[in-house]
Amino acid sequence: MHYMLVPSHVEYERATSVEHALSLLGRPDTRVLAGGHSLIPMMKLRLAQPELLVDINGLAELAFIRLDGGQLRIGALARHADLLDSAVAGEHFPVFHDAERVVADPIVRLWGTVGGSLCQADPSEDLSAVFAAARATAVIRGQHGDREVPVREFHLGPYETVIGRGELLAEVRVPLPVPAHGGTGSAYQKVARRVGDWSVAAAGAVLRLSGEHEIQEAGLGLTAVGARHFVAAEAEDFLRGRRATQDTFEEAGKIAARHCHPVADQRGPEDYKRHLVAELAARALRRAAERATP
Amino acid sequence: MTMRIAMTVNGTEYAREVEPRLLLIHFLRDELGLTGSHWGCDTSNCGSCVVWLDQKPVNACTVLAAMADGHCVRTVEDLERDGRLDPVQEGFIECHGLQCGFCTPGMMMTARWLLDHHPDPSEAEIREAISGQICRCTGYGAAVKEFNDRCGCRGVARGAVVLIISDGWETGDPELLGAQMARLSRVAHRIVWANPRTQSPRYRPEVGGMAAAWPYCDAVVSAHNLDALGDLLSALQAR
């Protein structure tokens, strides 16, 4: 018996402007269609059965990556490949390039979007931990204007975000390092079973160091291991104020491993995933510290 | 409920009445009869269904036909032009870049895109580019070789003929010249060398840098007189 996977019946509308998209998204059971590389497979499996798809691929005003007012601004419709190619993003946050190199495969990266990654809220998705580590802010557009939500409060749980009916993620803003406040470095470390696969576990680190190598601020994001809001908050607390040494990073990794909640699945047992968290967090922190230039 | 969509596929305009949920791969295969693109894993993992949508490769099993409405699609059927195979297709044949052939259409569409954007990729870049293509026959080695070898990549700039006019490189560094010529041969369609000294009985092409460069030449002509200019013309015009 061979089954052909096709989505259930659905209506399709192509948004001609953000306003048009917002009005369409006011209808119940509506999903935004961007790259479609998570949504369409989920629709085939009937894990998602929206009544209406709102195709936003034509909304060029949401496809940008630029520096503006001390922030790196990434439009929701920027593709993974755009972020990987972005020199400004890589210059200020090499963690984005680290992560984008290991998001799916090059063909998928041409279509999958940054906004789609965050809104899909898949626990194994790489960018959520990166944006959480960088303390980014999501800009959510509604018919009555924009509201800003820290990425650390954006996800309510697996496949659930704070975006409500009639709203659209417009962009993500990442505060730029201020050189006067010390050197900032960042890195992402991931273990996957094979090229293009989801993480077994991964860690993203953003560190701000003083001239004396004291950690002034630390962001540590974790992927695929059940960390609340993708953040290793206890490890961040431990890091703040300490010297950036290998011992510090290894201890922070152990703390992160203790406080996350991985589940055993086909990608590995729980203890293995905790082991990965400790090791990958320490490696990401070390690499971030190496990259921190005052 | 259906909707009317229209798109250009391989240069031809098509319009059809379809359900919004119809996937592009089924539109191409079942509605248009273009069965060259293969319907593989159905989960955008295997890359067998890769076609170009507005000049960018995409897994056609993960795009709705409706999303391609008003856009341009290119499939593997369009690689051959005017009865002439694309060099990527020739390369797959010459290097035996396939066994069962199921993944080949997607593999070739990705290959063509890579080479259009990156005429001289390294092996690591090739492996990265096709990391979204799954070959169950484990034909990757041959496919990569196909990309990498003379027969695969050359002719990327289709018709680009390199004419070298020099009386020889005997004193040149063989290692450097060999590497440079290898590089050149991967991006050029043909390399023709015009060297009047080849007419001299004392000329020895097997010396030094010349020996390293010689194997990469598709033709070496003397071009030392009017008759020999005819040879040059034939060498330049040869396929």
Side-chain angles (χ1 to χ4, degrees), chain A residues 2-12 14 33-38 40-41 43-44 46 53 55 57 79 84 101 104-111 194-196, chain B residues 1 3 19-21 23 26 30 39 41-45 50 53-54 56-59 61-64 66-71 110 113 128-134:
Chain A
H2 185 77
Y3 292 98
M4 176 164 153
L5 294 171
V6 292
S8 185
H9 288 285
V10 66
E11 285 179 62
Y12 171 92
R14 190 174 285 183
L33 176 61
H37 277 60
S38 294
I40 290 176
M43 288 173 65
K44 289 184 190 177
R46 311 293 167 107
L53 292 175
D55 184 346
N57 282 290
R79 313 280 168 178
L84 183 54
R101 257 180 224 113
D105 62 60
I107 308 281
V108 171
R109 290 200 291 263
L110 287 172
W111 297 93
R194 56 186 157 75
V195 172
Chain B
M1 192 201 65
M3 60 185 288
E19 284 189 68
R21 64 173 174 166
L23 298 164
H26 300 310
D30 303 341
W39 173 43
C41 70
D42 220 357
T43 55
S44 75
N45 281 300
V50 166
L53 178 55
D54 289 344
K56 282 200 303 189
V58 69
N59 292 300
C61 75
T62 309
V63 181
L64 300 175
M67 293 166 78
D69 180 26
H71 294 272
T110 300
W113 186 77
E128 161 73 9
I130 61 166
S131 63
Q133 321 286 138
I134 293 178

Side-chain angles (χ1 to χ4, degrees), chain B residues 9-199:
Chain B
V9 181
N10 301 336
T12 306
E13 202 46 62
Y14 294 93
R16 291 285 190 281
E17 198 74 29
V18 301
E19 284 189 68
R21 64 173 174 166
L22 182 70
L23 298 164
L24 180 59
I25 185 68
H26 300 310
F27 179 80
L28 294 170
R29 291 177 56 87
D30 303 341
E31 293 286 331
L32 305 188
L34 294 169
T35 53
S37 307
H38 288 168
W39 173 43
C41 70
D42 220 357
T43 55
S44 75
N45 281 300
C46 80
S48 295
C49 64
V50 166
V51 300
W52 290 8
L53 178 55
D54 289 344
Q55 305 293 318
K56 282 200 303 189
V58 69
N59 292 300
C61 75
T62 309
V63 181
L64 300 175
M67 293 166 78
D69 180 26
H71 294 272
C72 290
V73 173
R74 187 183 186 199
T75 70
V76 69
E77 282 90 347
D78 194 52
L79 282 182
E80 182 188 334
R81 292 270 173 90
D82 305 323
R84 221 176 122 178
L85 293 180
D86 189 282
V88 165
Q89 293 172 302
E90 288 175 349
F92 265 83
I93 294 168
E94 287 181 40
C95 297
H96 198 66
L98 60 135
Q99 286 179 40
C100 84
F102 195 87
C103 70
T104 312
M107 197 82 90
M108 293 197 303
M109 292 309 283
T110 300
R112 174 41 56 209
W113 186 77
L114 170 69
L115 296 176
D116 281 355
H117 290 82
H118 202 331
D120 187 20
S122 68
E123 184 173 331
E125 286 162 338
I126 294 165
R127 288 187 180 275
E128 161 73 9
I130 61 166
S131 63
Q133 321 286 138
I134 293 178
C135 170
R136 280 290 283 110
C137 308
T138 70
Y140 299 114
V144 168
K145 179 171 159 53
E146 172 276 322
F147 275 68
N148 217 5
D149 279 16
R150 295 163 60 95
C151 53
C153 293
R154 56 183 344 198
V156 168
R158 201 192 290 244
V161 178
V162 174
L163 174 62
I164 299 171
I165 306 173
S166 166
D167 60 1
W169 292 347
E170 295 93 314
T171 57
D173 173 1
E175 198 175 329
L176 180 66
L177 286 169
Q180 297 282 32
M181 287 295 283
R183 208 171 165 76
L184 191 59
S185 80
R186 286 206 302 274
V187 291
H189 184 59
R190 284 178 64 73
I191 298 176
V192 178
W193 191 310
N195 181 352
R197 285 180 61 219
T198 52
Q199 281 304 300

Side-chain angles (χ1 to χ4, degrees), chain A residues 122-189:
Chain A
D122 188 305
S124 302
E125 197 284 318
D126 296 287
L127 291 189
S128 300
V130 174
F131 281 118
R135 291 184 165 77
T137 301
V139 179
I140 300 169
R141 195 150 299 161
Q143 284 187 321
H144 305 293
D146 287 354
R147 63 185 178 109
E148 298 191 5
V149 177
V151 168
R152 293 178 170 220
E153 295 165 23
F154 182 81
H155 298 101
L156 299 175
Y159 308 105
E160 249 193 302
T161 72
V162 297
I163 293 185
R165 192 201 283 188
E167 289 187 322
L168 179 69
L169 176 64
E171 64 176 278
V172 188
R173 294 181 183 161
V174 194
L176 285 184
V178 180
H181 294 171
T184 298
S186 61
Y188 191 70
Q189 294 277 324

